[in-house]
Amino acid sequence: MEILFRIIALTRKELITLLVNKKSRLVLILPPIAQIMVFGYAANFELNQVPVAVYNQDRGSYSRELLAHFDSGTFRLVRNLTSSEEIAPVIENKQALIVVQFGPDFSSDILSGREATLQLIVDGRNSNVALIALNYVQQIVSGFNRELAIQHRRINGGDQGTVLVVRSWFNEMLDSHWFIIPGIVALLTIVITLEVTALSVAKEREAGTFDQLLVSPYSPFEILAGKSIPAILIGLIEATLVILIVVFWFNIPLRGSIFTLYAGLFIFILSAVGIGLMISSISVTQQQGLMGAFFFLVPAVILSGFATPISNMPELVQDLTLLNPMRYVLVIVRGVFLKGAGFDLLWSQFVPMLAIGIVTLVMAALLFRKRMG
Amino acid sequence: MAGRISLRRLSGLIRKETLQIIRDPSSIGIAFVLPVCLLVLFGYGVSLDAEHVPIGIVVETPSATAQDLVSSFYQSEFIDPVPYHSMKQAEDAIMHREISGAVWLRSGFASDLLSGRQAPVGVILDGVDANTARIVDGYIMGSWYAWLSRYVREKRAGYLRPAVELRHRIWFNPAVRSRNFLVPGLVAVIMTLTGGMLTALVVAREWERGTMEALISTPVTKGEILLGKIVPYFVLGMAGMVLTVFLAIVVFQVPFRGSFFTLAVSSALFMLTSIFMGLIISIGAGSQFVAGQVAIVVTFLPAFILSGFIFDIGSMPPPVQAITHIIPARHFVSILQSIFLAGDVWPVIFRSWLWLMGLNLIFFLIIMRKFHKRLL
Amino acid sequence: MDKNSLVLEAQGLKKIFRAGDRTIEALKGVDVQVRSGMVTGLIGPDAAGKSTFMRLAAGLMKPSDGSVYVLGLDAAAESQQIHEKIAYMPQRFGLYEDLTVQENLDLYADLQLFPRTKRKERYKRLMEMTGLAPFMDRLAGRLSGGMKQKLGLACCLIRPPEFLILDEPTVGVDPVSRRELWEIVYSQVDQLGMSVLVSTAYLDEAERCSRVVLLHDGRIIGSGKPGDFSAKMAGRVFLLNPARKEKRILQLRLSQKPQVVDALIQGDRIRLVMSEQLEPDQVGSSLSLPDQIEITPVEPRFEDAFIYLLRQKGDTATEVREAENQGEDIGLGIHKPVQGSRTDVVIDVQRLTKRFGEFYAVREITFQVRRGEIFGLLGANGAGKSTTFRMLCGLLPPTSGKLLVAGCDMLTAGPAAKKMIGYMAQKFSLYEDLTSRENLEFFSHAYGLSGRVRQEKIAWAMDAFGLEKVAGVRSRNLPLGFKQRLSLAAALMHEPDVLFLDEPTSGVDPVTRREFWRHINVLAEAKVTIMVTTHFLEEAEYCDRLVIMADGTILDQGTPDEVRRRCSTEENPSPTMEDAFIFLIQREAQKRSLVTVE
């Protein structure tokens, strides 16, 4: 009973210190909202209004017909070129990302059943943008081919041929927002949890209050509990705030059960708290705590599969990511949001994360005292 | 600058700062160790190019034609085909994230194709990671086209041939290696760290430790104090830049097609904006702690997200695009990607230089207004 | 320069700071004149506005109202010109700790455009004065507190300024270095006729100035020659010699009488300051003292005058004191009497050593503390006081040696043993974001108090330490005196048997310091064992027994009278505690140099 009271007192104290002044409350609420807005709108791989220049030597109607397909939101025709010399500068100066070139025989080739060629020049400076743009054009062209085939058959009769029928599961429109935005739930949760915990012990060390705690009858595990509970609460509240924005502002479907989502987030926060408190126990000053958090966070985010797939990384780095709790929670969050996955599909993600949490929390408790000599 | 500048005093200040840099491991850490870590992390850890993507292949009725199509998937270096006996199994594997997609040849595929009926090929993609899904879609389409043109040639089935063939050339980065555009952009992020973060921290440290109070009560002038900070960190930042560029070219084999002159001028302009931002932050922030946090939020994060380093600026909503103009890293990233991959493209470089010079002027005016030889 | 011309003149000087929605009036309209060619002291307790005044004078801040002229120049508008003529040493002098002594000197020589050709000679002279010559290549961060201050002063003096402004140059400096600093300053005044303005919170230093200006709570409460102040107190100061056992109770009683300005324990005696001039026998009758107590008149000190002036101004601490003066209660109910005999050994330290790498912070120290004793641990910064303390409280594992507190080793002790000790750290270390009440609530929970006992204890702490007024104030915003009271209250709620106080009065003004010691005395009466560190040597007089430490070893231990007696010499037959301290340190240094010569 006494232990319980003592832990509650510690938790209460911790919450008051964290939330007492306007500034620290704002730090917990405003940056996350700002970040999700910036990330939500700026950080995605969708292409919009890609500038396209056209060099059309063809007099026929097919080239114009195909060009009409480019006139969606993705592409924007910026210039008509009149000579091939203009192609290089227009790409180099970044006036256009793509130049579409129709040869003089484009329409006549199609009419006569010869193979018509569409030349495409892409600015490869940003290889990802280049690939995506190329992919869009491929789809436009194959759509155009299908239309031509249907027309052709209508004229000649018959119904032969083969086509690719592509369906995307979970994210039917292949909208990369759906991929990035649920990931932000995990990202902001770990940022806030680390911010709250990584400085908490160092701050008390600097203020001298940590000594005061250590001479009091608190055992390291009571201190650990008193430090973890508020951080977990704040982490969960933060996650809820972000989830609400994700669902109601960005309209990302939440297909799975909230229970699974929160179970995953809870264990994730637990492991983040463990890591944060470990960093904090090692640091002597808040400055070191902040640096420690930064040095953990940057690789943890980059090597989590948040923006780029883990499967693209070298084997060694892939093995390293197994120690990163964010790697697991991203699968859980995206699984629950987009696939509606439940425990049966996700348990293999829960187990390692829980292990990381337990190990780091125990280490943190042991380090509380170690760092004194 | 305010007041006259005495070279004696200035050299004294610069020598002091240099000694401090040499003796403070965290300066060296931020200027040299962190850049190398980031470079390695990004160079090896981040790749947007999907390779060896596991794709399920379901052939309901084996046949020569089906085998032929499947073999074209095996030939692709991007796809690692995984055979399944039924679509149910493949769908399960997608749910468990074992494969990123599946290709489905129905039982009647070969016979339908031969008999001239519609013979569609089904493709199911795991769309969770839309970007990867789209790239995978491209790979599958490529293999399928390759098979189709071969089939058309061998069977003389011209009627199956698509009317328009797409031929593309990707300039500057024909192998579409994402490293080639990530690594140059990283130079900008790294220089932000030295220029913005380190400068903000060391100036804040002088206030925090009280050394600034002693300094400003001597006859030293405002201009000397500022130059005494700008010169050493400018040199340090440029050294960091040379190191990262060297690593980029030698270790990561990123092509360098522009001139070192343009690189030097652009880096100098950008370094100056970073240092100016660091100085402005340190004037506002009282402690190293606040300075560090503010520096991350106003220099590091924007350099990461809003600079075009990873995410395409042209695709951002117009208000966000407008904001990116006041972020110096955006202009520098644009220069870097051109210099490295395309060469000295003067229209791009001039435009960016103008922006950087304008920003430098504005930051400089802010510093002159806000920095005083006075407390508070 | 003409002795009577003014180097500084302030008129109606005001400075207001805004922090959030609070405004702090640091200076409330002061008029100060500083004459040339002498040392003027700006004397006042902490937070009196001394630093603000110094910064305004150095042209580092703009006044909110009024004006300061330095060497005939307006400090607000012509600061650059002023900087070329003066030198200013801030409170914590901004030495570059990662630069060597030589490099720091070079930097300041460059900044002051001191010609290179003359440097060698000037450095040599300065290093002789400061005794830093052997340390030219040492990093400034590795110097002791005293050496740092001396180096700071040397940096200011490379090009001798017309006017030298020193902001609390002796804070945190050991008595030996303090004397040396003053010697350097005086050598400049005597040889070059330099004008100096120096601020200090040490009242004994006031007597070293030619003129003093007394600043309190942003206002000037007096100025003139220091001797004039003490002279006014003539005939009001006495020494009493009570029986040893009763001195504490007597001191507590006396300090509550309205006609008493000040009553302090000085070794075995009590120093008494009366509010009016009296004959010794009149004192006895006025205070109804027992006849066997001898009353001898003594010379007044500057401090007596300062306390008198402060009491007249009536600051907050005095108000509390007066409120508590109702009746004869001297507040003995503060703590339930501890069980056990005064002969029990409560703290037992045997050959205790702490080593950090190659550096011995504490080396083979041995002492014992008995129940109910006030035991002092004295020494300069870096002497090993805090390290010893932290080991006793179980915050730091010792390298070797034995240490027992109330029969337990605190490093491994369980909750029950930890409840027996109370600890008050060197600087305020309660939660600054919590209010006074919340802090007390938290610490009462931490020590396992609950239910009615807990409520009663909190109410008691609020009442006994006069904290009701500030119950809802965040402790960050409390005045220093209240912070110290709150810390002590938090350390006492669980009624510990042993109390550790690490420099509890550093940075506290003399009035609050007296009040604080009143509480400590009351606790000692309740047989609480109290271990206290301090660098105010006059506070050593308040202890029953003490040890003096330097460089991690014990130089001497015993009662204050014993220690002083052992240090008396022919030149100085009745040394003060400070004299004794300096004597011990110098003797130790001599011993060492002999050892090295051998």
Side-chain angles (χ1 to χ4, degrees), chain C residues 427-451:
Chain C
K427 58 175 202 179
F428 179 70
S429 56
L430 300 188
Y431 293 97
E432 297 203 312
D433 291 321
L434 267 57
T435 64
S436 307
R437 175 175 285 282
E438 284 165 345
N439 263 306
L440 292 177
E441 283 174 351
F442 171 69
F443 281 100
S444 61
H445 267 307
Y447 281 93
L449 301 178
S450 58

mmCIF file of all heavy atoms in Angstrom, chain C residues 427-451:
data_model
loop_
_atom_site.group_PDB
_atom_site.id
_atom_site.type_symbol
_atom_site.label_atom_id
_atom_site.label_comp_id
_atom_site.label_asym_id
_atom_site.label_seq_id
_atom_site.Cartn_x
_atom_site.Cartn_y
_atom_site.Cartn_z
ATOM 1 N N LYS C 427 22.521 23.347 -3.206
ATOM 2 C CA LYS C 427 21.658 24.389 -3.753
ATOM 3 C C LYS C 427 20.224 23.907 -3.635
ATOM 4 O O LYS C 427 19.990 22.727 -3.408
ATOM 5 C CB LYS C 427 22.039 24.703 -5.192
ATOM 6 C CG LYS C 427 21.983 23.516 -6.099
ATOM 7 C CD LYS C 427 22.238 23.918 -7.518
ATOM 8 C CE LYS C 427 21.628 22.836 -8.373
ATOM 9 N NZ LYS C 427 21.694 22.969 -9.756
ATOM 10 N N PHE C 428 19.288 24.835 -3.790
ATOM 11 C CA PHE C 428 17.891 24.491 -3.622
ATOM 12 C C PHE C 428 17.548 23.320 -4.514
ATOM 13 O O PHE C 428 17.706 23.385 -5.718
ATOM 14 C CB PHE C 428 17.025 25.688 -3.979
ATOM 15 C CG PHE C 428 15.553 25.411 -3.855
ATOM 16 C CD1 PHE C 428 14.986 25.243 -2.605
ATOM 17 C CD2 PHE C 428 14.760 25.297 -4.977
ATOM 18 C CE1 PHE C 428 13.641 24.983 -2.475
ATOM 19 C CE2 PHE C 428 13.408 25.044 -4.850
ATOM 20 C CZ PHE C 428 12.847 24.882 -3.597
ATOM 21 N N SER C 429 17.108 22.216 -3.904
ATOM 22 C CA SER C 429 16.838 21.070 -4.759
ATOM 23 C C SER C 429 15.482 20.455 -4.465
ATOM 24 O O SER C 429 15.347 19.256 -4.356
ATOM 25 C CB SER C 429 17.952 20.051 -4.630
ATOM 26 O OG SER C 429 18.101 19.695 -3.293
ATOM 27 N N LEU C 430 14.497 21.310 -4.337
ATOM 28 C CA LEU C 430 13.133 20.794 -4.380
ATOM 29 C C LEU C 430 12.622 21.085 -5.782
ATOM 30 O O LEU C 430 13.300 21.700 -6.590
ATOM 31 C CB LEU C 430 12.269 21.488 -3.330
ATOM 32 C CG LEU C 430 12.751 21.323 -1.887
ATOM 33 C CD1 LEU C 430 11.718 21.884 -0.939
ATOM 34 C CD2 LEU C 430 13.023 19.875 -1.553
ATOM 35 N N TYR C 431 11.405 20.619 -6.060
ATOM 36 C CA TYR C 431 10.902 20.782 -7.415
ATOM 37 C C TYR C 431 10.424 22.211 -7.633
ATOM 38 O O TYR C 431 9.475 22.658 -6.992
ATOM 39 C CB TYR C 431 9.804 19.761 -7.696
ATOM 40 C CG TYR C 431 10.389 18.389 -7.716
ATOM 41 C CD1 TYR C 431 10.338 17.566 -6.601
ATOM 42 C CD2 TYR C 431 11.070 17.944 -8.831
ATOM 43 C CE1 TYR C 431 10.933 16.321 -6.613
ATOM 44 C CE2 TYR C 431 11.668 16.706 -8.855
ATOM 45 C CZ TYR C 431 11.599 15.897 -7.743
ATOM 46 O OH TYR C 431 12.196 14.684 -7.759
ATOM 47 N N GLU C 432 11.091 22.902 -8.558
ATOM 48 C CA GLU C 432 10.804 24.321 -8.747
ATOM 49 C C GLU C 432 9.453 24.560 -9.387
ATOM 50 O O GLU C 432 8.884 25.619 -9.250
ATOM 51 C CB GLU C 432 11.904 24.949 -9.612
ATOM 52 C CG GLU C 432 13.255 24.890 -8.946
ATOM 53 C CD GLU C 432 14.184 25.947 -9.475
ATOM 54 O OE1 GLU C 432 14.270 26.055 -10.708
ATOM 55 O OE2 GLU C 432 14.792 26.660 -8.660
ATOM 56 N N ASP C 433 8.945 23.554 -10.092
ATOM 57 C CA ASP C 433 7.655 23.740 -10.753
ATOM 58 C C ASP C 433 6.483 23.456 -9.818
ATOM 59 O O ASP C 433 5.330 23.684 -10.173
ATOM 60 C CB ASP C 433 7.546 22.829 -11.974
ATOM 61 C CG ASP C 433 8.494 23.260 -13.074
ATOM 62 O OD1 ASP C 433 8.637 24.473 -13.252
ATOM 63 O OD2 ASP C 433 9.081 22.392 -13.732
ATOM 64 N N LEU C 434 6.787 22.892 -8.659
ATOM 65 C CA LEU C 434 5.722 22.587 -7.711
ATOM 66 C C LEU C 434 5.594 23.746 -6.718
ATOM 67 O O LEU C 434 6.560 24.439 -6.419
ATOM 68 C CB LEU C 434 6.046 21.291 -6.953
ATOM 69 C CG LEU C 434 5.491 19.989 -7.538
ATOM 70 C CD1 LEU C 434 5.949 19.796 -8.957
ATOM 71 C CD2 LEU C 434 5.872 18.796 -6.698
ATOM 72 N N THR C 435 4.382 23.926 -6.191
ATOM 73 C CA THR C 435 4.199 24.967 -5.187
ATOM 74 C C THR C 435 4.779 24.471 -3.865
ATOM 75 O O THR C 435 5.118 23.292 -3.716
ATOM 76 C CB THR C 435 2.713 25.288 -4.978
ATOM 77 O OG1 THR C 435 2.090 24.112 -4.452
ATOM 78 C CG2 THR C 435 2.030 25.667 -6.274
ATOM 79 N N SER C 436 4.852 25.376 -2.895
ATOM 80 C CA SER C 436 5.388 24.983 -1.593
ATOM 81 C C SER C 436 4.596 23.806 -1.038
ATOM 82 O O SER C 436 5.157 22.824 -0.562
ATOM 83 C CB SER C 436 5.280 26.142 -0.611
ATOM 84 O OG SER C 436 5.863 27.282 -1.156
ATOM 85 N N ARG C 437 3.265 23.930 -1.089
ATOM 86 C CA ARG C 437 2.431 22.868 -0.529
ATOM 87 C C ARG C 437 2.645 21.555 -1.274
ATOM 88 O O ARG C 437 2.820 20.498 -0.671
ATOM 89 C CB ARG C 437 0.948 23.264 -0.565
ATOM 90 C CG ARG C 437 0.013 22.162 -0.102
ATOM 91 C CD ARG C 437 -1.426 22.614 -0.026
ATOM 92 N NE ARG C 437 -1.677 23.471 1.135
ATOM 93 C CZ ARG C 437 -1.834 23.010 2.380
ATOM 94 N NH1 ARG C 437 -1.749 21.723 2.619
ATOM 95 N NH2 ARG C 437 -2.066 23.834 3.359
ATOM 96 N N GLU C 438 2.690 21.639 -2.609
ATOM 97 C CA GLU C 438 2.864 20.412 -3.399
ATOM 98 C C GLU C 438 4.199 19.729 -3.094
ATOM 99 O O GLU C 438 4.289 18.506 -3.025
ATOM 100 C CB GLU C 438 2.767 20.716 -4.895
ATOM 101 C CG GLU C 438 1.345 20.949 -5.360
ATOM 102 C CD GLU C 438 1.259 21.598 -6.737
ATOM 103 O OE1 GLU C 438 2.281 22.125 -7.225
ATOM 104 O OE2 GLU C 438 0.169 21.582 -7.314
ATOM 105 N N ASN C 439 5.232 20.537 -2.888
ATOM 106 C CA ASN C 439 6.520 19.965 -2.517
ATOM 107 C C ASN C 439 6.427 19.225 -1.199
ATOM 108 O O ASN C 439 6.901 18.099 -1.079
ATOM 109 C CB ASN C 439 7.572 21.076 -2.414
ATOM 110 C CG ASN C 439 8.395 21.215 -3.677
ATOM 111 O OD1 ASN C 439 8.978 20.241 -4.140
ATOM 112 N ND2 ASN C 439 8.409 22.397 -4.239
ATOM 113 N N LEU C 440 5.791 19.852 -0.228
ATOM 114 C CA LEU C 440 5.659 19.198 1.080
ATOM 115 C C LEU C 440 4.820 17.935 0.954
ATOM 116 O O LEU C 440 5.143 16.897 1.533
ATOM 117 C CB LEU C 440 5.033 20.156 2.090
ATOM 118 C CG LEU C 440 5.916 21.350 2.479
ATOM 119 C CD1 LEU C 440 5.175 22.272 3.439
ATOM 120 C CD2 LEU C 440 7.217 20.873 3.105
ATOM 121 N N GLU C 441 3.751 18.017 0.171
ATOM 122 C CA GLU C 441 2.907 16.832 -0.017
ATOM 123 C C GLU C 441 3.711 15.706 -0.642
ATOM 124 O O GLU C 441 3.634 14.552 -0.230
ATOM 125 C CB GLU C 441 1.701 17.167 -0.902
ATOM 126 C CG GLU C 441 0.634 17.931 -0.153
ATOM 127 C CD GLU C 441 -0.501 18.398 -1.052
ATOM 128 O OE1 GLU C 441 -0.378 18.279 -2.288
ATOM 129 O OE2 GLU C 441 -1.499 18.876 -0.494
ATOM 130 N N PHE C 442 4.506 16.069 -1.655
ATOM 131 C CA PHE C 442 5.283 15.032 -2.328
ATOM 132 C C PHE C 442 6.276 14.382 -1.368
ATOM 133 O O PHE C 442 6.350 13.166 -1.267
ATOM 134 C CB PHE C 442 6.015 15.600 -3.539
ATOM 135 C CG PHE C 442 6.990 14.630 -4.122
ATOM 136 C CD1 PHE C 442 6.528 13.486 -4.755
ATOM 137 C CD2 PHE C 442 8.350 14.814 -3.987
ATOM 138 C CE1 PHE C 442 7.417 12.557 -5.263
ATOM 139 C CE2 PHE C 442 9.238 13.886 -4.488
ATOM 140 C CZ PHE C 442 8.765 12.760 -5.128
ATOM 141 N N PHE C 443 7.035 15.203 -0.650
ATOM 142 C CA PHE C 443 8.062 14.603 0.208
ATOM 143 C C PHE C 443 7.460 13.856 1.381
ATOM 144 O O PHE C 443 8.038 12.881 1.863
ATOM 145 C CB PHE C 443 9.089 15.654 0.635
ATOM 146 C CG PHE C 443 10.082 15.928 -0.446
ATOM 147 C CD1 PHE C 443 9.962 17.036 -1.270
ATOM 148 C CD2 PHE C 443 11.108 15.023 -0.696
ATOM 149 C CE1 PHE C 443 10.853 17.256 -2.296
ATOM 150 C CE2 PHE C 443 12.013 15.243 -1.722
ATOM 151 C CZ PHE C 443 11.880 16.356 -2.527
ATOM 152 N N SER C 444 6.268 14.276 1.852
ATOM 153 C CA SER C 444 5.647 13.503 2.924
ATOM 154 C C SER C 444 5.261 12.114 2.408
ATOM 155 O O SER C 444 5.442 11.109 3.083
ATOM 156 C CB SER C 444 4.428 14.239 3.477
ATOM 157 O OG SER C 444 3.474 14.418 2.460
ATOM 158 N N HIS C 445 4.770 12.055 1.175
ATOM 159 C CA HIS C 445 4.464 10.747 0.565
ATOM 160 C C HIS C 445 5.732 9.929 0.375
ATOM 161 O O HIS C 445 5.766 8.740 0.647
ATOM 162 C CB HIS C 445 3.822 10.942 -0.809
ATOM 163 C CG HIS C 445 2.335 10.967 -0.757
ATOM 164 N ND1 HIS C 445 1.597 9.982 -0.162
ATOM 165 C CD2 HIS C 445 1.444 11.859 -1.238
ATOM 166 C CE1 HIS C 445 0.312 10.267 -0.279
ATOM 167 N NE2 HIS C 445 0.186 11.410 -0.921
ATOM 168 N N ALA C 446 6.779 10.617 -0.105
ATOM 169 C CA ALA C 446 8.013 9.907 -0.403
ATOM 170 C C ALA C 446 8.549 9.216 0.838
ATOM 171 O O ALA C 446 9.106 8.120 0.754
ATOM 172 C CB ALA C 446 9.052 10.881 -0.946
ATOM 173 N N TYR C 447 8.354 9.840 1.995
ATOM 174 C CA TYR C 447 8.859 9.229 3.219
ATOM 175 C C TYR C 447 7.805 8.364 3.886
ATOM 176 O O TYR C 447 7.932 8.007 5.053
ATOM 177 C CB TYR C 447 9.396 10.310 4.160
ATOM 178 C CG TYR C 447 10.773 10.755 3.744
ATOM 179 C CD1 TYR C 447 10.942 11.839 2.901
ATOM 180 C CD2 TYR C 447 11.902 10.050 4.151
ATOM 181 C CE1 TYR C 447 12.200 12.219 2.476
ATOM 182 C CE2 TYR C 447 13.163 10.430 3.737
ATOM 183 C CZ TYR C 447 13.312 11.511 2.906
ATOM 184 O OH TYR C 447 14.556 11.869 2.489
ATOM 185 N N GLY C 448 6.754 8.066 3.109
ATOM 186 C CA GLY C 448 5.785 7.078 3.573
ATOM 187 C C GLY C 448 4.827 7.578 4.633
ATOM 188 O O GLY C 448 4.187 6.781 5.313
ATOM 189 N N LEU C 449 4.701 8.885 4.783
ATOM 190 C CA LEU C 449 3.683 9.376 5.716
ATOM 191 C C LEU C 449 2.337 9.250 5.044
ATOM 192 O O LEU C 449 2.216 9.402 3.839
ATOM 193 C CB LEU C 449 3.940 10.841 6.066
ATOM 194 C CG LEU C 449 5.296 11.170 6.701
ATOM 195 C CD1 LEU C 449 5.396 12.666 6.922
ATOM 196 C CD2 LEU C 449 5.446 10.425 8.006
ATOM 197 N N SER C 450 1.307 8.964 5.848
ATOM 198 C CA SER C 450 -0.012 8.897 5.218
ATOM 199 C C SER C 450 -1.083 9.252 6.233
ATOM 200 O O SER C 450 -0.822 9.371 7.434
ATOM 201 C CB SER C 450 -0.250 7.501 4.645
ATOM 202 O OG SER C 450 -0.132 6.560 5.678
ATOM 203 N N GLY C 451 -2.265 9.445 5.700
ATOM 204 C CA GLY C 451 -3.444 9.686 6.534
ATOM 205 C C GLY C 451 -3.320 10.936 7.376
ATOM 206 O O GLY C 451 -2.830 11.965 6.904
#
